[in-house]
Each structure stands twice: as structure tokens, then as C-alpha cells.
Amino acid sequence: MPEPSPASSTALTSEAELTSEAVPTSEAEPTSEAEPTSEATSTSEAVSTSEATSTSEASPTSEASRAPATPSTASTVAASTVTTTAATTTAAATTAPAVTRPPVPPPSELAAGERGSGEPGSGEPGNEAERIGVIRWERGADGIVVLTLDDSGQPANTTNAAFRSSLGAVIERLERERASLTGVVVTSAKPTFATGADLRELAELADPRAAFELATVGRDHLRRLETLGRPVVAALGGAALGGGLEIALACHHRVALDAPGTQLGLPEATLGLMPSGGGVVRVVRLLGVLNALVNALLQGQRYSAARARALGLVDGLVATRDELVPAAKAWIRANPAPVARWDIPGYQIPGGGPSSPALAAALASLPAGLRRQPAGAAQVAGPAILAAAVEGAQLDVDTAGVVESRYFAELVTSQASKNLVQAFFVDMGRVVAEGAASADGPGGRARFEAPKAFVDRLLGAYLAEAAAMVGEGVPAPSVEQAGMQAGFRSSPLRLCDELTLATVQAAAAVAVAVAVAEAPAGGGAVATGQDHGALAVLDRMVEEFGRSGRASGAGFYEYADGRRAGLWKGLRELFGKDGDGDGGGDGGGDGAGDPVGEPAGIAFEELKERLLFAVALRTVGCLDEGVIGSVAAANVASLTGAGFPAWTGGALRYVNGYPGGVAGFVARARALAARHGARFAPPAPLVARAERGEPYA
């Protein structure tokens, strides 16, 4: 079997590593520190993929408000919807009413006999220290209860079923005893505070209604803590991520350890998920709608303690772990009766609500900016997060929480979200277990280096198919849009230029040779190199026109001072067909954003499928040949190394999930082979697998 030359292999893999971004396998894994984005530039620096309207109307007391959105519910907000909803909502856009609770006198007004003496052996409240599930309860003579998260069965605290049960019992006890309480400190016995959801639990959720109820339980617990009527402080001695930060956001004050291991953020979007415990609701009210979307929610940034404080996620810092609880208690004594700022009548969200003119204008331009972002996991979650944030900002806190839970329920049970969790949690775990990856990366993150030969073959198939489209006369903007709308990390012609066309020539030659060698006989497809026009296009670009890529200042794109200046207009003249649209773009910018014409005789959806199938079929071949060691490794490497669309969960998961399963994929591959050449003909092992009804597992 032909192998890529060492030179081409090294170059392609190097570029793949430059363009790929490591995705965490769980919310617990710290990634590189983020810098907050200024609101002035934020409208073009968030993540989303599509626009739609959301029609959910929530009421905190009606039965309908407790039901989740169905999977078919629109999960995005169009620019027009943002302004229309903001103008017509009957809820106060920026005012959250105070929550009514039975009046409780502050601790200083309690009679001496109502508080525990705290004397050893007295049995009084001042000497309590016990465990409630995975939470340790310890009450001091000062009336302050210290709740220490300590799940002995796991290396890190997570917001799993055991935690929810424990927290529910703790909240009930706090409510029973609040008349004698001074305040509450929430901290952790582990090096981290809490690191979010148990992804194994989320992966098993299939029913949106069950997902909605799960979110509702956790959200209600935190809301009861927030409205306890006593000061509650989070003492964060390590990473507070996802559900961990949601716990902290429900506290009235947050103190964090200013040390390298402390990271704070809501990284759910990086796994195709979103917060479900009121995180969207609270961070929007804390930071403002646009600031929250850009700097906390849509891209799942993680911040050091100092940068989290600068952004506004935490209120105070301490230098040592021993200072955490004392600092928290000092704040409690100084603030005996706090209320969450959004529960104060008249509270205004920073920057205003969606109906304010300045914010409405920014939100109206946001969807277009979101679509220009690289494809990835965040694009799966982006529409739901955007909708929940904008809708929730126009409602009271409790109703906004219901809306957040609805969008979470729809998202977490979607196939795209499940694919992402499967790939970056389950499959990565399997790869680590197989020894193909190590768990000693930065912050304990799994580290996996995709095999160079595997990545090069997949990239070669992707880029060769794009070049073949150009040779057929498909307009270059359509080729670029096909790659981006399919969800690949980079558009193909742009990637060709970045890698240099000479490197792509070598990789494409291998891809074509492999496709011809593996093409099954018969079936109406001609197994020759001539049915693949990629080599002719690349040869002419390099040898006839001297356009070898960005490094030389000329490739599929034009360049001015090293910057892309639009697709080369010569593409239309040299490769275009009459009536098929403008093959050279408009000369002004990135062709991936140019208008797309429908190529004569070729549906745009088919262009996307050709790119997807070219890479998926090459992945199948690599697995059969032993170039990659397992299904799990192939899925992870196709995503992290070759930039295959994140929403698929990996190239082999794409085969499994194609309509009709593996058999449906085989049938479609045969149809593409009959139309475009033998490179799409399914190999015999894949056909046999389809006949057995056996997915890749």
C-alpha cells in the first residue's frame, strides 16, 4: 500500500497540529487560560452556526412551564428575533423581583438561649460535625456552617446524582435551622472545588423530559441556597468549572485561592453542552448579556483566579489555602443579611437588557459574526446558549431558570451533543486505556497524538476532493462553503494554501493511488486515476501558474502583504463552466464567507457529503489496514488531528449515524461512486459490516 513520503507526512501533520485545538475530555480538565474579550469587538468573536426563532413562553407556576422543549423546538435566536422578542416581552427586561421568604431575624437579634453554646459534649449546635452524603457539615460556635464537598469515591467533586441527593438534604437542614445560623461557607476537601457534571450520567440521557427534570432539581437546590436568608460564601481552593462554578455563582460572595491550579469557567460549550444549574441566568445578570456570552458562555473560557476576579466572576482572592475559610467567615460577619443583587427590586443588568438600543444593535449583528468562527463543539451548543441568555435576560430569575433548563434538555439529548460527549469523554477514555494516549498532559488532561500517517491520509482525501471539485467547474466559494458548512475546522482551499500546494500534491497523489488500489471491481465505477481530477488541478496550479500557496504569495487565494485578499479570479477562467456562477469569488476577503451559487447539476448538499464521505471512507480504509489501532482512536484522531466536523463525534461515528446506519452509508457511497468515480465505492469489509448490521464500536 502506498505511503506518504516522509516530507509530506511531516508537513501535513505539523499543519494539522497548528490548526487543531485540543478539546477537554471532561469539565474537570483545565485548558489554557483565556483572555476576556472586549465588548467592542465581541460581535465577531463568539461561536454559533445557525439562526432560528425561539417561541417558548415560560411561567414559573404553570404546568406548561415545567415541561421541556421537544427535540424539534427551535434552538437558536435570529437577529430579528432578538429585537422582536425584546420589544414585545411583557416581563421586565432588567428587573428581577425580590424572592419572598418567611421573615427571619438576623443572628445578632436572636436570644442567647436560641444559639448553641458550643461547649464540648453539650450536644448544642455549636459542636456539630458530621457527614451528609458527599458533603461534610461542620457548625462552629459562631453559628457559621462550613459545608465541605468531599466525594470520597472520586478524585474530584462532580455534580452527580450523589451530590444532588446530598445537597438536597443539606438544604433542607439549613432551612430548618436557619433561625440559629449566622451564615454558610461552601468549600472543598480536595485540591479542586468541583468540576462539573458527571459526563457518563449525561451521556445516558435520552428523554428531554427526564433531562429537564434533572436540571430542575439541581437548579432548585441552588436557588434555595441563594435565597436562604443567610449569607453564603464560596471558598474556592482550586478549579471551579461548569457545575462547580454554578454552585459558587449561587453564593452571595466568592473568595478564590490565587494559585496556578485555580481555574474558573463554564466550559460546557466545548463539549457541545450548556450550563443547567442557573449558570446562564446568573452570569448574564452578573456580567451583562454580551459580556457573558462572549467571555464566559459561548466559547467556554477558563480563567485564572486573578483574571476571573478582573472579569467579575469572583469577589476576593487569598494567597494561601489556610486563609480561605477565615476570609469567608469574615465576610459573613460583615454582611449578616445579604441578598443576591439580582433579587433586589430595580436591579439592572450591566449594559442593559436586549431591548436597550445599544445592546439590541450588537445582538442583531451577533449571529453573522458567530457563523464566521471555526467549526467545533461550541457551534453545537452556541444556538441554545444564545437563546437562553437573550430570552432569560427579559424574564425574572426563576422563569429564566426554567427557560435555561428547557434549552439544556433539548441540547443534552441531541445526537450532536451525544456524539461530542462520546468522542471526547468515552472514546478518549478508551484511547487512554489502550495506551494510545497518556493522562499526564497539562492539568491532568489526556494527551493524544494522532498518528502522522493517519492524519496525512485523511487530510489528503479532504483536500484532493476539494481540488477535484474545482476541476469540475464548481465555483471556488461553493467549495469553501461546503467545507465550512459541513463543519470542518478549516475550509479546504484555504488549508491547501496554508500547507503549500506542493505538499498537498504529494498527499493527494497518495490519496488517489490508495483510492484506486482499494476500489472494488464492478459496480459501474471506473477504478482509474483519471476519475479523480485533483492531480490535474494541483499540477497546473503549481507548475503552470506558479501558485504554490500562501508562503509564495499566490495560491487558490490572492494575497496582499501576507493577508488573504480573496479567491484567485483566474480559477473561474481556467476551471469554471458556463452558467455555474462565479468561480473566483469577489476578490474581497475569505471565500468561505462569499455568496454561494448552486453549481449546475450538483446540489450544494452533495458537495458537503462528498467531503465528508471522502474522509470517512479513508478512515475506514486506515482502520482495516492497521494504520490506526482502534475505532475510538480513529474517531478522536479524525477530530483532533484532521479537523473532521466535531458534531459527528468522529469519522466512524459519522458512518454509524448516517441515516440508515452503516447500510445507509454504504448505499449512499455507491450512489456517489456511480456519479463521481470509484474513490467513493465502499470497500468489501465495510459492505460486509453493513450486511451484518454491525456498527463500528
Side-chain angles (χ1 to χ4, degrees):
M1 194 60 56
E3 291 287 347
S5 67
S8 65
S9 175
T10 301
L12 273 175
T13 303
S14 174
E15 289 295 336
E17 291 170 353
L18 287 174
T19 57
S20 66
E21 296 181 2
V23 181
T25 60
S26 74
E27 291 182 11
E29 296 168 356
T31 58
S32 58
E33 198 172 289
E35 290 281 2
T37 302
S38 66
E39 293 193 19
T41 60
S42 61
T43 55
S44 63
E45 298 183 5
V47 182
S48 183
T49 53
S50 60
E51 302 169 43
T53 58
S54 175
T55 57
S56 63
E57 295 286 340
S59 169
T61 56
S62 67
E63 181 64 28
S65 74
R66 310 298 292 182
T70 61
S72 61
T73 301
S75 61
T76 59
V77 177
S80 60
T81 305
V82 170
T83 54
T84 301
T85 305
T88 59
T89 182
T90 58
T94 59
T95 303
V99 175
T100 302
R101 292 286 182 186
V104 179
S108 60
E109 298 178 13
L110 292 173
E114 294 179 79
R115 306 174 77 176
S117 67
E119 294 298 324
S122 67
E124 295 289 338
N127 195 43
E128 295 174 7
E130 59 191 277
R131 175 178 286 274
I132 303 176
V134 299
I135 301 174
R136 295 209 311 258
W137 169 296
E138 185 170 3
R139 176 172 172 165
D142 54 6
I144 297 176
V145 174
V146 177
L147 301 175
T148 304
L149 311 185
D150 186 15
D151 188 343
S152 59
Q154 299 197 81
N157 298 311
T158 63
T159 53
N160 58 13
F163 171 79
R164 290 192 301 275
S165 175
S166 303
L167 183 61
V170 165
I171 297 297
E172 290 179 3
R173 182 169 176 180
L174 288 172
E175 290 173 338
R176 289 195 309 268
E177 300 183 10
R178 63 177 177 162
S180 63
L181 297 181
T182 304
V184 180
V185 177
V186 185
T187 189
S188 170
K190 298 180 182 294
T192 58
F193 177 71
T195 54
D198 184 337
L199 295 178
R200 292 166 296 189
E201 185 178 65
L202 297 186
E204 295 174 357
L205 285 173
D207 178 13
R209 189 171 297 274
F212 178 83
E213 292 302 327
L214 181 146
T216 298
V217 169
R219 174 172 49 80
D220 286 353
H221 285 162
L222 295 182
R223 185 63 173 147
R224 289 164 65 190
L225 181 66
E226 184 175 50
T227 58
L228 180 64
R230 289 289 177 262
V232 183
V233 180
L236 310 173
L241 300 170
L245 184 57
E246 288 186 286
I247 297 168
L249 289 170
C251 298
H252 303 114
H253 189 74
R254 290 162 291 282
V255 181
L257 174 63
D258 190 8
T262 304
Q263 288 200 335
L264 299 97
L266 296 168
E268 288 90 341
T270 64
L271 287 170
L273 299 169
M274 66 178 286
S276 63
V280 174
V281 174
R282 291 186 177 92
V283 79
V284 162
R285 283 158 174 76
L286 184 66
L287 306 181
V289 179
L290 198 59
N291 194 16
L293 284 168
V294 173
N295 287 317
L297 293 169
L298 288 173
Q299 299 184 61
Q301 298 98 320
R302 306 173 188 214
Y303 296 101
S304 67
R307 287 178 175 162
R309 185 186 185 189
L311 183 61
L313 291 174
V314 297
D315 305 298
L317 303 177
V318 296
T320 66
R321 188 175 298 274
D322 290 341
E323 297 175 75
L324 276 171
V325 173
K329 288 186 173 184
W331 191 90
I332 288 173
R333 287 190 288 269
N335 299 271
V339 176
R341 64 194 73 180
W342 35 84
D343 286 329
I344 300 173
Y347 176 74
Q348 300 292 309
I349 294 178
S355 60
S356 64
L359 183 56
L363 291 174
S365 63
L366 186 59
L370 303 182
R371 290 195 302 273
R372 288 196 291 271
Q373 297 302 302
Q379 283 196 344
V380 173
I385 292 173
L386 176 60
V390 172
E391 290 181 34
Q394 302 166 82
L395 303 167
D396 64 86
V397 172
D398 295 302
T399 308
V402 174
V403 171
E404 178 180 315
S405 295
R406 284 178 168 176
Y407 281 111
F408 167 79
E410 180 182 347
L411 180 63
V412 75
T413 56
S414 70
Q415 190 58 54
S417 179
K418 287 189 174 299
N419 285 345
L420 285 160
V421 171
Q422 183 73 28
F424 292 119
F425 181 70
V426 179
D427 283 348
M428 181 60 87
R430 289 173 178 164
V431 171
V432 171
E434 292 164 358
S438 65
D440 61 352
R445 185 173 35 146
R447 182 171 55 193
F448 173 66
E449 294 182 8
K452 290 189 294 184
F454 177 77
V455 172
D456 288 349
R457 288 192 180 189
L458 267 58
L459 286 176
Y462 175 53
L463 301 179
E465 194 59 33
M469 292 176 182
V470 172
E472 295 167 12
V474 176
S478 296
V479 176
E480 294 288 76
Q481 273 290 325
M484 294 305 293
Q485 291 191 25
F488 284 91
R489 185 178 295 119
S490 177
S491 57
L493 302 183
R494 174 179 172 177
L495 184 56
C496 282
D497 278 8
E498 296 293 333
L499 294 170
T500 75
L501 270 65
T503 299
V504 176
Q505 269 184 303
V510 171
V512 171
V514 170
V516 170
E518 293 184 348
V526 180
T528 69
Q530 283 66 46
D531 73 336
H532 201 313
L535 295 181
V537 170
L538 294 170
D539 289 347
R540 293 190 69 191
M541 289 290 290
V542 175
E543 297 166 12
E544 185 176 343
F545 309 121
R547 305 185 68 87
S548 58
R550 182 170 188 165
S552 67
F556 284 107
Y557 280 83
E558 299 276 18
Y559 295 89
D561 298 324
R563 301 172 66 90
R564 282 186 303 278
L567 284 156
W568 181 39
K569 291 187 179 294
L571 293 173
R572 180 185 183 189
E573 177 184 346
L574 296 165
F575 302 109
K577 299 289 191 297
D578 292 339
D580 63 4
D582 186 355
D586 61 6
D590 193 329
D594 292 341
V596 178
E598 187 83 351
I602 302 178
F604 183 68
E605 289 301 315
E606 184 168 301
L607 298 181
K608 293 162 58 178
E609 275 203 331
R610 284 174 62 180
L611 295 172
L612 290 163
F613 268 65
V615 178
L617 286 166
R618 191 80 293 278
T619 303
V620 168
C622 286
L623 182 67
D624 292 341
E625 300 158 22
V627 176
I628 192 81
S630 68
V631 171
N635 281 325
V636 173
S638 67
L639 297 171
T640 62
F644 200 69
W647 61 267
T648 65
L652 296 180
R653 195 166 302 284
Y654 174 71
V655 175
N656 289 346
Y658 194 81
V662 179
F665 181 90
V666 165
R668 180 57 177 157
R670 284 171 169 159
L672 290 173
R675 185 174 173 85
H676 300 290
R679 62 188 180 277
F680 288 108
L686 178 60
V687 173
R689 182 180 292 271
E691 292 172 349
R692 296 193 303 269
E694 179 185 342
Y696 287 98

